Amino acid sequence: MAAFDEKVESEQGPAKRLKSDNDCKSSEQASVFLQESDVGITQFVTAGWKGFDAIIKHRYSDFFVNEIDPQGNVVHLTSYLEADDPEPPQTAEEKAIEDLGVPEDADEAFKQAFVRLKAIIGAEDAQRIQKHLEMTEEQTLEERSLILERELDKAQRKEVYLITNNFLPTQVTCVTVDGKLKFIRRVLGDEKNKKGRDQRQRGGRGQWNHHGDYCYFVLQKENRDSMEMIQQIARQLRASPRLFGMAGTKDKRAVTVQRCSAFRIDHKRLIWASRQLRGARLGNYSYGASELKLGDLTGNQFQIILRHVHGADAESLLPVLEGIRSTGFINYYGMQRFGTQSISSHIIGVAVLKADWKEATDLILRPRVGDRKEVHKARQEFRDSGDAKKALALLPQKAALAESCILQQYVKTGTTDHAGAFATVPRNLRLMYAHAYQSYIWNSAVSERIRLFGIAAPVPGDLVIPAKEYCKNSGSDEDASAENDVKTHAKATLVTAENIGQYSIYDVVLPLPGWDVVYPEHEVEGVYRTLMEKSGLTQSDMAKHPLKEYRLAGGYRHMVIKPRDFAYEWMRYNDDTLPLARSDSDAIEGRHEPVSIDFGEHVALKLKFGLPSSAYATMLLRELMRKETASSHQTSLSSETGYVRSDELPKNVEITD
């Protein structure tokens, strides 16, 4: 372990120095953006390749993500209007109503009602009810109800309800009071009141008549966050966002396609809502019995355009591309896991795992490099004056969610209620900080494992879970958000001299630190202990946190993975503002797939591949390009081309019935 300790101390960028000098805490404002080496990303699968220059996500439409469903099918948006809406199975009640044969003529239905009631309650009581309903309004003003004195069993009462509700729906309401039937004569105005009452009971949207309680739909969004879009759809429908489900969150700065579900919301209402949306398309409606939940997917298909390629061509890059196809890449947690600014999420995670709420809130509110101008002003105001109300007023709406929650709580309870303030941050975001710390440790451990032993094969002391048995419970995309931490119920097997021939490098896993995992039995085990000690944490701390949600059990993650259906295409183009790939909505609207231009001024490389859930596409790009994948670095490259990244969305397509 001496070599690793020496490396930690000597190979430090500014952000690394922050962690070793102060137990993984941030100092005053750092002067640089977060880099890959700051979060343990240092190794490559193949050696000797110098890489090339290109720009990732020059436009958000250079990055496409299509979900892969549990059956292995790539999810596509193919229609805005069609719905797979089979006739729902007939219920026993519906069959009973159909068997009644209610006449369409109201007078005939009235006569038949009492013929049927006689068979249930007798001729005398049936005649009393008929006379009561035939009274004029003046006669019934004082006595609108009639109680049947004889007692009926439950089956008989059900038959009476069936008759009155279907033969006499506008004349009488029948209820049970103290075991006796009460018939209430309806008068002028009752129908209007009943209609409003029934609509309120059904959410004001009419009777539900579909096969299953959930409407499934495909959402294509452009440069929008998944939850933001769900909330926008819910606002249009005046419905709760809790009625919606999804299999996985998707990257914001991209064109993404995913499946969603809506509880008892008709697809026609969703079609209407889609017309009001900006940056999204809805379609491929169908119905089913269960809600879509995070993890109901097997992965994602990516289509990525690398623009302004320099230092590589089809011939020189062929061995590397084929190497990625056949060998794969290191399954690092990508930079999205840690944030893009100078204070990494995993540094805040240390404070969270120590239950140091003052430190956690201070780090979240601290000014840092990379802030939007308005957010920086708000942070700086709180830093200088400690006035939460003034800082909150400066914070722009729909930005800096954690900061906004903390400042709002400080305004309510004072700036010393650090635990209460942090608790107001949404749960997924709170957990993200702790999971980011686990990811930092895992990245560092896998880097040391590869530095020491390479990737040719497992070595004694490794842990393995056969890849085909590796059962992930994840709802992630390339963004691998907080709730998408990789977990498994499978037990890791220790590699020994006796069983080593049974496994490949693709079976090797390393644990995320927690109280319910085992660690490799070679030098890499010391990486976990050393880094956690520097943070002031131990493995047992993961089980003793005062709050249950931060008692992390841990999990396992495969060290190396291969992409699925890996393909690539070289393109030449002239205009950086034009797309180089076609989205699903483009295909629906009849737009042609962009093609390479002979002798075009610029060169682009288009990649297409699938990855399992929780894997990061940017880590495949890192293996290919050998360049920094941090968004701050890519933004600077875009600026050098003279093209400013734009978040402007295209106008929504007009949908007609």
Side-chain angles (χ1 to χ4, degrees):
M1 279 306 301
F4 177 75
D5 290 336
E6 188 175 306
K7 180 183 174 187
V8 169
E9 296 299 332
S10 63
E11 297 183 8
Q12 311 237 4
K16 285 258 183 175
R17 285 196 296 272
L18 297 180
K19 293 188 284 293
S20 63
D21 293 343
N22 196 20
D23 291 343
C24 272
K25 296 179 182 179
S26 174
S27 67
E28 298 299 312
Q29 185 172 340
S31 60
V32 294
F33 287 101
L34 201 65
Q35 303 295 309
E36 289 175 348
S37 58
D38 298 330
V39 293
I41 302 172
T42 62
Q43 302 297 311
F44 295 97
V45 167
T46 56
W49 168 241
K50 63 183 178 63
F52 64 94
D53 293 321
I55 303 175
I56 305 170
K57 293 192 183 181
H58 195 52
R59 299 166 51 88
Y60 67 79
S61 56
D62 288 343
F63 207 96
F64 292 80
V65 185
N66 286 70
E67 196 166 271
I68 302 174
D69 69 19
Q71 290 72 46
N73 304 309
V74 178
V75 176
H76 285 285
L77 178 68
T78 59
S79 170
Y80 295 137
L81 298 173
E82 295 178 7
D84 182 7
D85 188 16
E87 285 292 324
Q90 191 177 44
T91 65
E93 183 180 0
E94 289 170 338
K95 187 178 187 308
I97 293 172
E98 182 180 299
D99 292 344
L100 287 175
V102 181
E104 292 187 7
D105 182 75
D107 291 336
E108 182 62 26
F110 187 86
K111 292 177 184 177
Q112 287 194 24
F114 296 101
V115 174
R116 294 170 182 267
L117 284 174
K118 285 178 185 178
I120 303 171
I121 61 176
E124 184 179 345
D125 284 332
Q127 189 174 13
R128 284 181 59 207
I129 296 168
Q130 183 174 353
K131 286 183 178 180
H132 181 72
L133 297 182
E134 288 174 341
M135 291 181 183
T136 64
E137 282 191 36
E138 290 77 11
Q139 292 174 307
T140 58
L141 282 176
E142 293 185 1
E143 191 61 48
R144 288 183 55 189
S145 62
L146 182 152
I147 296 178
L148 195 64
E149 292 300 329
R150 60 181 297 184
E151 293 188 3
L152 302 174
D153 61 31
K154 186 175 181 180
Q156 289 174 313
R157 293 198 301 270
K158 187 175 181 179
E159 288 186 64
V160 173
Y161 294 149
L162 195 64
I163 301 302
T164 56
N165 288 342
N166 292 281
F167 286 83
L168 306 170
T170 61
Q171 286 87 11
V172 67
T173 298
C174 183
V175 296
T176 299
V177 180
D178 296 329
K180 298 178 180 179
L181 288 176
K182 182 177 183 180
F183 298 85
I184 304 171
R185 166 77 182 271
R186 289 180 178 165
V187 296
L188 186 65
D190 276 0
E191 283 309 300
K192 182 178 180 181
N193 293 336
K194 178 182 183 298
K195 182 179 179 181
R197 183 168 58 251
D198 288 348
Q199 282 191 343
R200 285 193 297 274
Q201 291 171 350
R202 295 191 295 261
R205 302 300 174 186
Q207 186 174 1
W208 184 255
N209 192 33
H210 297 292
H211 188 85
D213 285 335
Y214 292 89
C215 179
Y216 304 131
F217 61 96
V218 171
L219 164 66
Q220 177 188 292
K221 62 179 184 64
E222 304 170 1
N223 203 34
R224 286 289 185 267
D225 178 77
S226 295
M227 286 308 303
E228 176 189 347
M229 289 314 311
I230 290 298
Q231 289 167 357
Q232 191 175 336
I233 294 168
R235 282 196 299 271
Q236 294 293 343
L237 298 174
R238 296 186 178 181
S240 169
R242 294 180 181 178
L243 297 179
F244 294 84
M246 66 178 72
T249 58
K250 295 287 175 280
D251 192 43
K252 176 182 178 180
R253 189 175 171 77
V255 178
T256 69
V257 178
Q258 65 189 105
R259 297 172 304 137
C260 302
S261 65
F263 178 72
R264 291 213 162 202
I265 296 179
D266 190 278
H267 73 273
K268 293 177 182 177
R269 294 182 64 202
L270 290 167
I271 289 173
W272 174 86
S274 70
R275 297 191 182 107
Q276 323 304 318
L277 300 176
R278 186 168 178 261
R281 311 284 192 271
L282 308 183
N284 293 71
Y285 305 99
S286 62
Y287 291 86
S290 58
E291 178 186 12
L292 280 178
K293 296 181 180 179
L294 289 172
D296 291 341
L297 77 168
T298 57
N300 295 279
Q301 183 190 74
F302 298 90
Q303 186 173 202
I304 300 172
I305 291 92
L306 303 177
R307 293 186 186 243
H308 291 272
V309 174
H310 296 286
D313 55 30
E315 183 179 355
S316 65
L317 203 57
L318 181 62
V320 184
L321 290 167
E322 291 302 320
I324 288 177
R325 186 204 303 274
S326 60
T327 306
F329 61 98
I330 303 171
N331 194 21
Y332 282 123
Y333 287 98
M335 298 302 291
Q336 303 94 317
R337 187 74 159 178
F338 305 97
T340 59
Q341 299 173 329
S342 54
I343 299 178
S344 170
S345 298
H346 82 277
I347 299 175
I348 300 171
V350 174
V352 171
L353 292 174
K354 290 181 175 180
D356 188 344
W357 310 120
K358 182 179 185 302
E359 176 72 1
T361 55
D362 178 68
L363 288 168
I364 291 171
L365 294 176
R366 186 173 298 178
R368 74 277 305 272
V369 175
D371 270 343
R372 288 171 49 181
K373 184 177 179 181
E374 300 85 351
V375 176
H376 175 74
K377 286 182 178 179
R379 291 185 197 271
Q380 197 63 50
E381 174 63 38
F382 187 73
R383 179 83 166 172
D384 295 340
S385 69
D387 191 322
K389 189 172 183 179
K390 285 184 179 179
L392 185 61
L394 292 170
L395 202 63
Q397 290 186 349
K398 299 181 181 179
L401 178 59
E403 292 82 351
S404 177
C405 292
I406 291 169
L407 288 172
Q408 287 179 28
Q409 185 67 14
Y410 280 163
V411 170
K412 293 178 183 177
T413 62
T415 56
T416 59
D417 182 19
H418 308 300
F422 187 78
T424 63
V425 175
R427 182 176 184 273
N428 283 345
L429 188 51
R430 298 198 309 268
L431 289 175
M432 179 199 72
Y433 299 123
H435 293 164
Y437 178 73
Q438 288 179 302
S439 303
Y440 160 70
I441 299 293
W442 191 92
N443 280 357
S444 302
V446 78
S447 290
E448 187 68 0
R449 161 61 179 78
I450 292 173
R451 189 187 72 82
L452 289 172
F453 306 116
I455 64 142
V459 297
D462 274 338
L463 299 172
V464 291
I465 298 175
K468 63 181 180 180
E469 299 176 11
Y470 187 49
C471 179
K472 298 181 209 45
N473 177 20
S474 171
S476 67
D477 61 341
E478 71 91 28
D479 193 7
S481 302
E483 68 273 24
N484 305 322
D485 194 24
V486 177
K487 300 178 191 286
T488 178
H489 295 296
K491 295 296 183 183
T493 299
L494 181 69
V495 174
T496 65
E498 289 73 27
N499 66 11
I500 194 168
Q502 301 174 27
Y503 305 106
S504 76
I505 195 66
Y506 303 103
D507 300 320
V508 175
V509 297
L510 279 94
L512 286 87
W515 57 265
D516 193 28
V517 293
V518 295
Y519 291 87
E521 295 186 7
H522 48 48
E523 292 93 325
V524 176
E525 185 275 336
V527 175
Y528 291 88
R529 184 175 60 255
T530 299
L531 288 179
M532 293 183 72
E533 285 175 356
K534 287 180 176 292
S535 304
L537 292 167
T538 65
Q539 182 178 350
S540 63
D541 290 336
M542 301 291 190
K544 297 178 180 178
H545 198 283
L547 298 181
K548 185 177 180 180
E549 63 184 357
Y550 302 114
R551 297 170 192 167
L552 303 180
Y556 300 96
R557 181 176 176 90
H558 277 95
M559 185 172 74
V560 180
I561 59 172
K562 287 194 289 188
R564 160 185 166 182
D565 301 326
F566 185 74
Y568 49 88
E569 177 188 358
W570 290 90
M571 297 184 71
R572 284 191 170 272
Y573 67 99
N574 291 321
D575 191 344
D576 261 325
T577 65
L578 296 180
L580 296 180
R582 183 175 67 167
S583 68
D584 286 355
S585 61
D586 289 335
I588 294 173
E589 293 153 25
R591 296 188 180 93
H592 296 294
E593 184 76 41
V595 296
S596 181
I597 300 172
D598 291 340
F599 309 109
E601 180 184 0
H602 307 302
V603 178
L605 177 61
K606 183 189 294 187
L607 304 171
K608 192 172 184 178
F609 54 89
L611 292 178
S613 54
S614 86
Y616 287 75
T618 48
M619 292 297 98
L620 181 150
L621 298 180
R622 173 182 178 272
E623 181 71 31
L624 174 65
M625 297 169 61
R626 304 298 167 100
K627 301 296 180 184
E628 187 74 37
T629 59
S631 62
S632 57
H633 176 71
Q634 295 300 318
T635 300
S636 68
L637 293 180
S638 283
S639 300
E640 289 172 8
T641 68
Y643 172 75
V644 179
R645 292 191 181 198
S646 172
D647 287 344
E648 183 178 353
L649 294 168
K651 293 181 179 178
N652 205 0
V653 64
E654 182 176 348
I655 304 173
T656 55
D657 294 325

